[in-house]
Amino acid sequence: MPDAPDLPRRFAIASALARLVFGLAGYGLILFVSPQAHQLRALYAQPAALGPMVARGLAAILLAGLAAWCVTRRWLARRGAGRLARPGRTLAGYVGLLWAGLLAAEILQAYSGVWLAGLARRLAAPGGGMRIPPALFAALLSAMAAAALELLCAWAALRVALWRSRTAGGAAPAYTADHAAAIAAASLLVWQWLIVLGLVPFLGIGLLERQSSLAAYALGYWALPAALAALALAVNRRHVPRALGGADAPRAVAHGSLSFWLAQAAGIGLVALALMNVDSAGIQAFSRSPAAPWIRLLAYAALQSLSCALCARLLYGRRGGAAPAAAA
């Protein structure tokens, strides 16, 4: 039997591997079995397509592992136990349910993509009330729906798998400030991969050109988001209190998510402020500067760090005691 602290971790690793196998199987069918396999292989061989594809896959894998760890730990903690009577059987049932749910989610996304595109066109029509480009609106909604479906699949599959499981004693798994900081950083990284990198082609604010090498895309789409998440982890560990009171994993997920969206809102506000106070010639000169992408990156890292610190104060309180009741 696994020790109490190891069981959530093992479920998280199994969940991430199951999501990886599902993703590889799906891309295998698309790239080697579908009627357009040859054209799709040529497309995905290009760094401009491969970089975002891998980033989205990493986000899905991380989200599956994160959901499995949080649900398993909380389920065991509520029962005051750290072991399951038959963990292998529960894990096998969870993987099967997860694959079934992911398959249903893929079918739903295929149909919802057409609906979202139609909705975006209607809203962009005269009198529709939307001022952003339809493709951008559809991409944003699609990315958020994908994240919600991934999370729902992992949560529901694990809850059903644990439904008839029995505990077998052992100490309940601990939940520490380091766990809270790591969950918040991982949640921020998931949003980073699913939202920001998915919208880069529409926003035109990337560090890369379409003719860039795969190494450049690996840096921009994989390494830099991971580095930003590591920065967020360091900030979170400094500002999340050692004594969490009654706080649990959902508050850490809220911390990471709120930090991400606050940084986006602050960035949009700064851009709007610059557009109102700097003439077009100055903006164009800055955009042509080789240092412009790196200045944007540093500014974004600073905004993200500040938002992580502020959201930690908001959700956990100013001191190391229990968090405010309103945030519970």
Side-chain angles (χ1 to χ4, degrees), residues 7-96:
L7 195 57
R9 179 175 59 85
R10 293 187 181 187
F11 269 77
I13 292 173
S15 182
L17 290 176
R19 186 61 183 85
L20 173 63
V21 170
F22 182 87
L24 291 176
Y27 279 115
L29 290 174
I30 292 172
L31 298 179
F32 297 100
V33 179
S34 68
Q36 298 82 23
H38 179 72
Q39 295 90 331
L40 290 172
R41 284 198 300 272
L43 172 64
Y44 283 113
Q46 301 175 16
L50 184 61
M53 180 190 75
V54 172
R56 287 191 294 270
L58 290 173
I61 292 169
L62 179 58
L63 189 58
L66 181 64
W69 191 94
C70 293
V71 172
T72 304
R73 194 216 66 82
R74 198 174 192 191
W75 189 88
L76 289 169
R78 286 183 170 181
R79 286 156 181 80
R83 303 174 188 268
L84 291 175
R86 304 179 71 177
R89 180 177 179 180
T90 302
L91 187 57
Y94 165 62
V95 170

Side-chain angles (χ1 to χ4, degrees), residues 1 3 31 35 47 104-105 123 134-136 139 157 161-162 172 177 187 191 209 217-218 246 264 285 300 308:
M1 291 286 185
D3 294 335
L31 298 179
L123 290 174
L136 175 59
L162 289 169
S187 302
W191 284 116
E209 302 292 340
Y217 271 89
Q264 309 317 305
Y300 181 76
C308 286

Side-chain angles (χ1 to χ4, degrees), residues 23 29 42 49 91 99 115 155-156 184 196 212 226 253 259 309:
L29 290 174
L91 187 57
W99 281 341
W115 179 81
W155 176 85
V196 172
S212 297
V253 173
S259 299

Side-chain angles (χ1 to χ4, degrees), residues 41-309:
R41 284 198 300 272
L43 172 64
Y44 283 113
Q46 301 175 16
L50 184 61
M53 180 190 75
V54 172
R56 287 191 294 270
L58 290 173
I61 292 169
L62 179 58
L63 189 58
L66 181 64
W69 191 94
C70 293
V71 172
T72 304
R73 194 216 66 82
R74 198 174 192 191
W75 189 88
L76 289 169
R78 286 183 170 181
R79 286 156 181 80
R83 303 174 188 268
L84 291 175
R86 304 179 71 177
R89 180 177 179 180
T90 302
L91 187 57
Y94 165 62
V95 170
L97 290 168
L98 178 63
W99 281 341
L102 290 172
L103 180 60
E106 288 288 336
I107 296 172
L108 179 61
Q109 281 187 281
Y111 284 100
S112 66
V114 177
W115 179 81
L116 288 174
L119 174 63
R121 286 194 299 269
R122 289 193 298 272
L123 290 174
M130 187 175 69
R131 297 180 180 273
I132 63 175
L136 175 59
F137 176 74
L140 179 61
L141 284 186
S142 178
M144 295 183 70
L149 285 173
E150 292 280 351
L151 183 60
L152 179 62
C153 285
W155 176 85
L158 191 49
R159 292 292 298 182
V160 172
L162 289 169
W163 184 27
R164 292 185 177 276
S165 297
R166 292 183 299 150
T167 58
Y175 181 73
T176 66
D178 287 340
H179 289 136
I183 291 171
S187 302
L188 188 148
L189 180 56
V190 168
W191 284 116
Q192 186 80 19
W193 268 329
L194 285 179
I195 302 295
V196 172
L197 297 184
L199 301 183
V200 160
F202 300 97
L203 301 176
I205 57 174
L207 297 172
L208 306 170
E209 302 292 340
R210 294 192 66 83
Q211 65 269 22
S212 297
S213 66
L214 180 59
Y217 271 89
L219 173 64
Y221 276 76
W222 312 336
L224 282 180
L228 288 170
L231 175 63
L233 175 61
V235 174
N236 293 342
R237 293 186 67 180
R238 181 178 177 84
H239 291 279
V240 171
R242 295 287 99 184
L244 294 175
D248 207 337
R251 192 175 303 183
V253 173
H255 178 198
S257 301
L258 186 59
S259 299
F260 171 82
W261 287 109
L262 181 60
Q264 309 317 305
I268 293 172
L270 288 178
V271 170
L273 189 63
L275 291 175
M276 289 188 295
N277 292 277
V278 181
D279 58 25
S280 59
I283 292 175
Q284 291 176 5
F286 173 76
S287 299
R288 289 193 296 267
S289 170
W294 302 105
I295 293 174
R296 295 191 190 105
L297 177 62
L298 291 174
Y300 181 76
L303 288 176
Q304 178 188 276
S305 299
L306 181 60
S307 67
C308 286

